[in-house]
Amino acid sequence: MFDLYLKTIRQELESRNLVELHPLKVGEYKTFLRNTVKQLIERGQGAEKYLSRVLDNIFRDVDLLVRLRIVKTALGASIAGESVDSELLRYVEKIVEFSAKYLAGVLVEREGHIAVKFLKNCSVDGRKYKRGDVTSLTMSNALIMFLKGCVDPVPEVFMYTLHTARSE
């Protein structure tokens, strides 16, 4: 059972899409791990060293698995619906989308701020915005609001169209 994450790493490397990390399987693993840790602690002498090495290996394996899953997601692999980390991986997709829009160089930027259009009513730093409002936010606030589905970065074409429509 300790090789759950190693086994999943192997499966990830062999699969084009993400392997499903089903909540039941991860739950069983957590229960097994808790019981094992409890038994090791009860044994006393020497168990702490062994437990420390086991936990170090688990953290190393999980770290590698997480990084692998993030990379695969960023490269476009399909996310399994019932995977325990599917919601987190959807954020990876959104970060890639936001970054691509930013790096394409077509967004309205000024003094470290990005122009955004609100898709729904939201508040940022205590200030309320309504759907359709256009403002500029810091990169970090723009990303956070984008991840929440509140804003979309504004391309320069949109601002030109908005300005032209107001001038007429």
Side-chain angles (χ1 to χ4, degrees), residues 71-120:
V71 168
K72 284 180 73 171
T73 301
L75 292 173
S78 298
I79 299 172
E82 288 193 46
S83 227
V84 294
D85 59 350
S86 59
E87 185 177 353
L88 297 173
L89 294 174
R90 282 190 191 77
Y91 282 120
V92 170
E93 290 177 325
K94 298 280 286 179
I95 291 169
V96 168
E97 180 184 348
F98 182 88
S99 297
K101 288 179 179 186
Y102 176 73
L103 292 175
V106 298
L107 299 182
V108 177
E109 276 185 89
R110 188 163 180 226
E111 297 175 9
H113 286 69
I114 296 175
V116 295
K117 181 178 180 182
F118 280 82
L119 305 173
K120 60 185 180 181

Side-chain angles (χ1 to χ4, degrees), residues 100-144:
K101 288 179 179 186
Y102 176 73
L103 292 175
V106 298
L107 299 182
V108 177
E109 276 185 89
R110 188 163 180 226
E111 297 175 9
H113 286 69
I114 296 175
V116 295
K117 181 178 180 182
F118 280 82
L119 305 173
K120 60 185 180 181
N121 297 347
C122 293
S123 62
V124 181
D125 293 335
R127 185 164 180 204
K128 294 182 181 182
Y129 296 93
K130 294 179 184 173
R131 181 175 191 246
D133 284 351
V134 177
T135 191
S136 65
L137 299 174
T138 63
M139 172 74 83
S140 58
N141 279 343
L143 175 59
I144 290 167

Side-chain angles (χ1 to χ4, degrees), residues 4-52:
L4 170 71
Y5 294 117
L6 284 176
K7 179 181 173 189
T8 306
I9 289 169
R10 282 192 296 273
Q11 290 173 339
E12 286 292 359
L13 290 170
E14 295 169 357
S15 171
R16 180 183 176 125
N17 290 318
L18 290 166
V19 173
E20 182 179 26
L21 285 175
H22 199 277
L24 290 175
K25 187 178 273 190
V26 174
E28 287 173 7
Y29 177 78
K30 287 178 181 180
T31 301
F32 173 78
L33 186 60
R34 274 190 219 107
N35 292 337
T36 302
V37 167
K38 194 183 304 182
Q39 289 173 0
L40 285 172
I41 291 172
E42 289 171 357
R43 288 190 181 172
Q45 293 180 335
E48 290 173 11
K49 267 188 181 179
Y50 178 73
L51 178 60
S52 177

